[in-house]
Amino acid sequence: MTQHLADALPTSTGTLPGWWREAVIYQVYPRSFADSNGDGMGDLEGIRSRLPYLKELGVDAVWLSPFYASPQADAGYDVADYRAIDPMFGTLHDADAVIREAHALDLRIIVDLVPNHCSDQHEWFKQALREGPGTPLRERFHFRPGQGESGELPPNDWESIFGGPAWTRVADGEWYLHLFAPEQPDFNWEHPAVQDEFRSILRFWLDLGADGFRIDVAHGLVKAPGLPDLGRDEQLKLLGNQVLPFFDQDGVHEIYRSWRRVLDEYAGDRIGVAEAWTPSADRTALYLRPDELHQAFNFHYLNTGWDAEALRGAIDDSLDSMRPVGAPTTWVLSNHDVVRHRTRFGSLDRARAAALLMLALPGSAYVYQGEELGLPEVTDLPDEVRQDPSFFKANGQDGLRDGCRVPIPWSGDQAPYGFGSGGSWLPQPAEWAGLSVEAQTGDPDSTLELYRSALRIRRERADLGAGDAVEWLAAPAGVLAFRRGGFVCTVNTTPGAVRLPAPGTVLLASGPLAEPDVLPADTAVWWQG
């Protein structure tokens, strides 16, 4: 329907093909971005109405977290119908309108795809329950008899990411596997019907004009043969890199080769982005071989603290691991599953400096909604408003992902700050009035204008964006300094000012500079070298 629009979008890389190699991709968490109908929940029409803001911000593409039909047991990551929109977000017509308007603004749209599991309200799963043990539809999931004298024990010792056994018993005595919530049964990716269905789902959204897919739990689709016991008492981490019999199995790669063939059927450089938690950067690179996916999230970088030596190591490791497969390195500081980086790093100054560092590195960068406003994590949400399913598991994760999902402020001095006319599904702090888009627009010292300036400079300079290397320069302990062509970036991660000869003319700084050869604490500077 809108395929020609995706094909017509400009490719800005001058040497290597593929817009994604240097793209800045903005993550929208739909329920927390903009509410068009006053029900307190963000929606697709709200997103469409705010696309001009994203265009002005200077991003290249927008990744939409799930908006599919879902009982919302896990904020939409429990999908009941991959071709339908949940009524809380709108209609398929609204999704089409978002894609069309984004394309009219030269923005690309990446949709979230959840292939590891579905909702227990998915028609396949409901029918599998009705048909009973040994029937063909059960083979599309992982149904097993239990252990013990009467099958009263789970089939193996696997734990759910959200806490508790990864198995739930149904009325007829069999158990089904769910690596996440019980409402999220895992698909059996050995079954050809599952593989066929997802290739069809890909084509459905590609036909609608989607420019790519962010693939949830991309590392989890294939399980080790026989579903062997883990053999140890170890609580699994949502964002970890453990070696496990149900993550990062080699069989996933044939799936993504088949997906790449589908993506390549469509004009306009449609892409696949892997959320792949693996034991090492080299393992992640396997997902990005030339006949597989295009990008993977760089969780190694996200998990690195505010320390120059650690950051340099993560940058070098990331670039080194991607170079052999010819894939761009990605950089990310925050997302919908982790504490916002302003809070993780301990100050707004550090968050601003980290943003300039990230946007100066070669490859593609991801911006999570609200980080351009300098939003902190909301740490004092009352228990009664929390909705993260792992919050309700005594032995699960920390259950605090709601704190990074609070709806963002747009305007005004009282909540919900222009988010919508009917409040917001999670309460917004009173101090966010000064962090709204309206309050920061036009203020040269604001974080929003810092991001706008950085993204403008990044677009204008050929020596930023795509690439696979940096030239490290000599610098005092605690300071990062590197060159890319005629561009230099310096970052002071220490608590004190550092004297450093100015490498050129200042292009942009994350904080005030009293003297050109003194780099203040927790400050990054871009230079024309």
Side-chain angles (χ1 to χ4, degrees), residues 17 74 93 97 150 195 213 250 297 301 336 369 441 458 462 479 488 521 529:
D74 183 22
H93 174 78
S150 56
Q195 299 182 27
F213 302 90
D250 289 337
F297 290 117
Y301 185 74
H336 64 292
Q369 64 175 47
T441 294
R458 181 183 165 106
V479 175
V488 174

Side-chain angles (χ1 to χ4, degrees), residues 377-450:
E377 185 83 357
V378 181
T379 58
D380 58 352
L381 289 171
D383 289 358
E384 59 268 20
V385 305
R386 293 187 180 276
Q387 299 193 25
D388 184 351
S390 62
F391 179 77
F392 304 99
K393 298 282 189 179
N395 61 340
Q397 304 300 311
D398 56 21
L400 300 179
R401 292 181 298 166
D402 290 318
C404 64
R405 300 175 178 184
V406 175
I408 65 174
W410 292 95
S411 60
D413 55 9
Q414 290 186 337
Y417 307 115
F419 170 69
S421 60
S424 61
W425 69 282
L426 287 173
Q428 300 155 301
E431 58 269 24
W432 278 19
L435 298 177
S436 72
V437 172
E438 179 183 61
Q440 296 196 43
T441 294
D443 177 359
D445 297 325
S446 72
T447 301
L448 175 57
E449 294 298 350
L450 178 73

Side-chain angles (χ1 to χ4, degrees), residues 333-335 337-341 343-344 377 398 400 404:
L333 293 169
S334 290
N335 66 29
D337 281 331
V338 300
V339 172
R340 286 186 176 275
H341 66 271
T343 300
R344 288 203 323 274
E377 185 83 357
D398 56 21
L400 300 179
C404 64

Side-chain angles (χ1 to χ4, degrees), residues 235-255:
Q235 174 57 49
L236 307 179
K237 296 298 182 185
L238 177 65
L239 306 180
N241 59 358
Q242 298 124 305
V243 177
L244 299 164
F246 41 79
F247 282 165
D248 193 35
Q249 300 295 304
D250 289 337
V252 299
H253 297 291
E254 190 51 47
I255 295 169

Side-chain angles (χ1 to χ4, degrees), residues 187-232:
F187 284 114
N188 173 17
W189 272 89
E190 304 294 332
H191 199 292
V194 174
Q195 299 182 27
D196 290 344
E197 171 68 358
F198 273 89
R199 284 190 291 266
S200 174
I201 292 167
L202 291 176
R203 290 189 175 95
F204 177 86
W205 288 101
L206 291 167
D207 287 343
L208 202 65
D211 298 288
F213 302 90
R214 178 267 190 185
I215 303 160
D216 184 63
V217 196
H219 55 300
L221 277 55
V222 172
K223 279 65 174 175
L227 309 184
D229 279 342
L230 190 58
R232 58 185 186 271

Side-chain angles (χ1 to χ4, degrees), residues 100 122 279 400 459 466 515:
R100 286 176 176 271
H122 190 286
L400 300 179
R459 285 195 309 277
E515 304 174 64

